[in-house]
Amino acid sequence: MIRQALILALSLALSAGCSQIGPKTVPRDRFDYNAAISRSWKEQTLLNIVKLRYADMPLFVEVASVVSGYTLEGSVSLGGTLSSEKAVQGDYLSMGTSGRFIDRPTITYAPITGSKFNESFMTPIPPRAILFLIQSGWPADIVLRICLDSINGHRSRVEGGANRREGDPGFYRMADLIREVQKSGAVGMRIIKGKGEEETTVLFFHRKGLSSETVEKLEEINRILGLAPDRTETRVAYGLLPASDQEIAMLTRSTLQIMVNLATQVEVPEAHVADGLTLPSMVAQEKEESKQRLIVIKSGIDKPEHAFTAVKYEDHWFWIDNRDFKSKRVFGFLMILFSLTETGGKGGLPLVTIPAG
């Protein structure tokens, strides 16, 4: 009997030593951390947009690293006493097992401040990056309306600040036309290196095999932008006005400018306006103006049930409705811009490491 117990205890100890927990945690941890970081990044972005609406300071804290550590400990104890045949006490056997499992992830946070904040959020987006976004499949009208302050002198709508203005009809007509040409596959770009190894971005439109309708749209784009007729390739530069009829000048926005513009479209509670916490919402009402509105961010006292992302600020909830695809797409595009303008430098930043769990 005792021999059988010893064999059983030894088997349990061996099986415990052979088991592995590391590989089993990879599928769970990867997706769980992915979902958690994505959700927190969306909420942080929405919170900063709302804070800008209330003239509050935005602050971004990125997750610099996640180190997940597991410890699995187990032990088996076995004891007993063999007595002689004439002994009063009989044979005695005792067994015991113990185990301990520890999950202790370490998460490192890095506030985006100083020069990195300036490079990532306050530096205008390069025109080349905007063309890359269009070429990668993002709708041209969405990209241009969000990222451009003007193109060849045609200005987009600005809803807040000292430069508040209505958008020029030519800007939105041009954006719609480029979107239609994009659908036909007739628009592209390439990089040309000059003698001094300087790179120049060139936007070109295919002319062969196009329908007459697409050709007419290309001609209208040239007229709106003041480009030379029948020109297939045009140099793209940063600026308000082009140097000639063979250039497209894009005055681009920084990600912070884009966030400020989106912040003016937040639907704030009337009580907050009455208390002087913020200004009234500058919401487009007419049909033509509503076309220029980029995003709908709602507010209310109760937590929303169908929210794509939601945050609480000043005792009210602010959210983007999960059924509002247009607003979700604009918000998702903003997240892409954050990655696009990310400098990647980590040196010199203060780090906060918190052992979680």
Side-chain angles (χ1 to χ4, degrees), residues 28 67 74 93 97 115 131 146-147 171 177 179 189 194 200 207 214 218 232 244 249 270 291 333 350 353:
R28 182 194 66 195
V67 179
L93 173 66
T97 60
S115 60
L131 296 181
I146 294 175
C147 298
F171 178 90
L177 288 170
R179 172 56 179 156
M189 63 167 289
T200 301
R207 289 287 181 175
T214 301
L218 290 174
T232 58
S244 67
E270 294 181 1
K291 184 180 179 182
F333 180 76
T353 303

Side-chain angles (χ1 to χ4, degrees), residues 33 65-69 102-109 352-357:
Y33 279 117
S65 66
V66 178
V67 179
S68 186
I102 301 175
D103 177 8
R104 185 174 294 168
T106 300
I107 305 174
T108 303
Y109 299 95
V352 180
T353 303
I354 300 177

Side-chain angles (χ1 to χ4, degrees), residues 81-92:
T81 302
L82 294 177
S83 302
S84 62
E85 296 181 358
K86 298 181 180 180
V88 177
Q89 74 276 12
D91 295 341
Y92 173 75

Side-chain angles (χ1 to χ4, degrees), residues 50-300:
V50 174
K51 289 173 69 176
L52 285 169
R53 186 69 171 78
Y54 285 76
D56 198 354
M57 176 184 175
L59 177 64
F60 282 92
V61 179
E62 64 179 353
V63 180
S65 66
V66 178
V67 179
S68 186
Y70 297 95
T71 302
L72 178 62
E73 299 177 355
S75 62
V76 178
S77 61
L78 178 65
T81 302
L82 294 177
S83 302
S84 62
E85 296 181 358
K86 298 181 180 180
V88 177
Q89 74 276 12
D91 295 341
Y92 173 75
L93 173 66
S94 64
M95 296 180 59
T97 60
S98 64
R100 184 173 65 165
F101 175 75
I102 301 175
D103 177 8
R104 185 174 294 168
T106 300
I107 305 174
T108 303
Y109 299 95
I112 303 178
T113 57
S115 60
K116 185 176 180 182
F117 182 87
N118 180 60
E119 294 176 10
S120 299
F121 294 95
M122 299 186 68
T123 303
I125 302 170
R128 178 190 307 176
I130 293 176
L131 296 181
F132 273 126
L133 288 167
I134 295 175
Q135 189 168 357
S136 66
W138 280 93
D141 54 338
I142 297 294
V143 175
L144 299 179
R145 289 165 58 195
I146 294 175
C147 298
L148 292 191
D149 193 74
S150 72
I151 180 169
N152 279 22
H154 296 279
R155 294 179 177 271
S156 61
R157 181 187 180 103
V158 177
E159 301 201 39
N163 297 326
R164 182 185 178 187
R165 63 172 182 266
E166 299 295 331
D168 296 333
F171 178 90
Y172 293 96
R173 175 59 180 166
M174 176 274 309
D176 291 338
L177 288 170
I178 293 183
R179 172 56 179 156
E180 294 300 320
V181 174
Q182 180 189 25
K183 291 179 181 179
S184 69
V187 62
M189 63 167 289
R190 63 184 177 186
I191 307 298
I192 299 178
K193 284 191 176 182
K195 296 181 180 179
E197 295 298 319
E198 295 181 357
E199 295 183 344
T200 301
T201 305
V202 174
L203 179 69
F204 64 89
F205 296 99
H206 301 285
R207 289 287 181 175
K208 296 181 180 180
L210 299 180
S211 65
S212 58
E213 183 180 0
T214 301
V215 173
E216 291 177 1
K217 292 176 181 177
L218 290 174
E219 293 174 350
E220 187 176 355
I221 291 174
N222 286 346
R223 288 196 301 269
I224 294 175
L225 298 180
L227 301 176
D230 300 326
R231 186 169 183 81
T232 58
E233 296 186 352
T234 307
R235 178 177 176 269
V236 179
Y238 176 84
L240 177 61
L241 297 173
S244 67
D245 62 357
Q246 300 181 11
E247 182 181 86
I248 294 178
M250 292 184 176
L251 190 63
T252 59
R253 293 168 172 164
S254 66
T255 52
L256 185 60
Q257 283 180 294
I258 294 172
M259 290 178 63
V260 170
N261 197 37
L262 296 179
T264 60
Q265 302 179 35
V266 177
E267 299 177 0
V268 297
E270 294 181 1
H272 288 182
V273 177
D275 293 340
L277 297 178
T278 185
L279 297 175
S281 296
M282 306 171 198
V283 179
Q285 300 293 337
E286 299 179 5
K287 182 177 180 181
E288 189 62 28
E289 290 181 346
S290 63
K291 184 180 179 182
Q292 299 179 10
R293 187 176 182 186
L294 295 172
I295 196 170
V296 176
I297 300 176
K298 300 181 178 181
S299 64

